[in-house]
Amino acid sequence: MIKISVTIITYNEEKNIARCLQSVKGLADDIVVVDSHSKDLTTKIAENLGARVIKRPFPGHIEQKNFAIEQARFEWVLSLDGDEALSPELKDSIKKIKEKGTKPGVNGFFFNRLTNYAGLWIKHCGWYPDKKLRLFNKAHARWTGMNPHDIIEMKSASKTGFLNGDLLHYSYDSISDHVNQTNKFTT
């Protein structure tokens, strides 16, 4: 049986973190939340739901996610953002990997991400399927890219597989939330 650490980076995710953590209940053997000194109830909610919370200033998405991986107690890591959650089908797919193991040489798994934008699930315009690699053996993967656009990069000899189910991404509650985030990223 494979043990899985779930890593989550957060900042002011009190409206999302409970959903995220509840979606990995019964799957995670270790949950670490790396929080960038949230000003809301994010850390209290996470602690109450059994997560190990580490507070750390935010150096950038890539750096924070790699730090989170380093804190994981187990080799296999499921890396999530605070505004994401596993669909029941994806959770079942990961449970099968956890129970049966992987094929020889497979060190990471892709699955589709489905985005909710202002209350609507977006299944068009290139947003779906948004294939993401988020379950991996940490000895074979690192976060890379250019902040804030991070991506998992596997070592060259590593093989990957694909799991059924969706990673549910609760992106923006409204258009004004989207504009505010765009302003934050461009400032």
Side-chain angles (χ1 to χ4, degrees):
M1 178 181 263
I2 292 173
K3 292 198 175 220
I4 297 175
S5 289
V6 175
T7 61
I8 307 164
I9 68 167
T10 58
Y11 179 70
N12 292 340
E13 288 288 352
E14 73 179 1
K15 68 182 177 184
N16 293 310
I17 194 64
R19 175 180 51 231
C20 179
L21 291 170
Q22 288 165 348
S23 79
V24 299
K25 186 176 181 181
L27 176 72
D29 298 292
D30 170 43
I31 301 172
V32 59
V33 171
V34 179
D35 184 79
S36 302
H37 299 285
S38 290
K39 310 239 184 296
D40 63 6
L41 298 174
T42 300
T43 58
K44 187 173 194 134
I45 294 167
E47 287 169 342
N48 287 341
L49 290 172
R52 182 168 38 104
V53 175
I54 300 168
K55 294 181 182 181
R56 180 175 190 252
F58 186 71
H61 291 87
I62 295 162
E63 298 83 359
Q64 198 78 322
K65 287 183 177 184
N66 280 326
F67 176 82
I69 291 170
E70 291 166 8
Q71 308 315 303
R73 291 184 174 141
F74 300 108
E75 284 183 40
W76 280 89
V77 173
L78 175 62
S79 181
L80 301 175
D81 291 338
D83 61 356
E84 295 173 333
L86 306 181
S87 70
E89 184 182 10
L90 179 56
K91 185 175 182 177
D92 287 343
S93 293
I94 296 171
K95 276 185 179 178
K96 287 177 187 167
I97 294 299
K98 182 176 175 166
E99 292 165 4
K100 297 178 182 177
T102 65
K103 292 180 182 175
V106 174
N107 295 300
F109 290 93
F110 284 91
F111 33 83
N112 292 327
R113 184 168 73 167
L114 177 60
T115 297
N116 186 298
Y117 184 90
L120 301 172
W121 294 106
I122 308 299
K123 293 187 175 183
H124 53 277
C125 72
W127 278 23
Y128 186 82
D130 181 18
K131 198 166 122 174
K132 299 291 182 193
L133 176 67
R134 294 295 190 79
L135 177 62
F136 51 86
N137 183 311
K138 69 180 181 178
H140 295 267
R142 293 298 291 164
W143 283 100
T144 64
M146 185 176 294
N147 284 318
H149 305 290
D150 47 47
I151 187 168
I152 283 287
E153 186 175 303
M154 300 293 291
K155 288 185 177 177
S156 60
S158 300
K159 294 180 189 172
T160 59
F162 185 84
L163 298 177
N164 292 324
D166 291 324
L167 177 61
L168 306 175
H169 179 217
Y170 295 86
S171 65
Y172 303 104
D173 289 335
S174 64
I175 292 172
S176 64
D177 279 351
H178 191 177
V179 170
N180 289 339
Q181 186 72 351
T182 301
N183 287 338
K184 178 181 158 191
F185 283 160
T186 58
T187 297

